[in-house]
Amino acid sequence: MKKFKCAACGYIHDGEEAPEKCPKCGAPKDQFVLLDDAASSLVERSRHSNALHAEVIALARQLEDICNDGIEDELDPGCVDVFTKSRAMAWKIMKLSMTEVQGHMGKGKWG
Ligand SMILES: [Fe+2]
């Protein structure tokens, strides 16, 4: 499927032709540029990778919640220690993916 990028805001439209106006910023059709195969492929790959990072971030947040429950449960010092360490690792995992996605956005690998 062809991809057209709004020159005004960067919105990427998937379709056989550019939309009449940008759904994001309202720019007219003539503001859309057809992406070549390499750029289209990069968009697809970026969408996939960004979705994976979003999934990792969501799972890390779930892990944090589980660890918080475990810390609050406070069965014994060993459990609290494991949950505390695991929560810190979940936070780090979340931050790693967030930073990578932030880098993608800065390079236009989003949309
Ligand atoms: Fe736009």
Side-chain angles (χ1 to χ4, degrees):
M1 186 178 291
K2 293 177 184 173
K3 295 188 187 326
F4 299 85
K5 186 172 188 173
C6 176
C9 75
Y11 178 85
I12 295 176
H13 172 80
D14 299 86
E16 287 308 306
E17 60 181 78
E20 289 305 314
K21 69 176 188 175
C22 178
K24 169 70 172 67
C25 73
K29 186 175 190 169
D30 65 6
Q31 287 294 301
F32 277 84
V33 177
L34 176 64
L35 298 183
D36 63 20
D37 288 346
S40 291
S41 175
L42 182 58
V43 167
E44 287 297 333
R45 293 185 59 222
S46 296
R47 284 175 177 170
H48 178 65
S49 186
N50 289 333
L52 294 176
H53 282 297
E55 202 169 335
V56 167
I57 291 165
L59 287 171
R61 287 194 181 277
Q62 285 180 20
L63 183 55
E64 271 192 285
D65 289 343
I66 292 167
C67 291
N68 284 332
D69 286 351
I71 292 165
E72 192 175 311
D73 186 48
E74 206 176 358
L75 177 64
D76 58 50
C79 280
V80 171
D81 183 54
V82 168
F83 286 127
T84 300
K85 288 174 180 171
S86 297
R87 182 178 63 183
M89 286 186 255
W91 176 257
K92 188 170 185 179
I93 289 167
M94 182 185 72
K95 295 292 289 180
L96 287 171
S97 276
M98 284 179 156
T99 303
E100 187 61 20
V101 170
Q102 184 179 32
H104 290 179
M105 292 169 78
K107 295 174 189 167
K109 291 182 184 175
W110 191 264

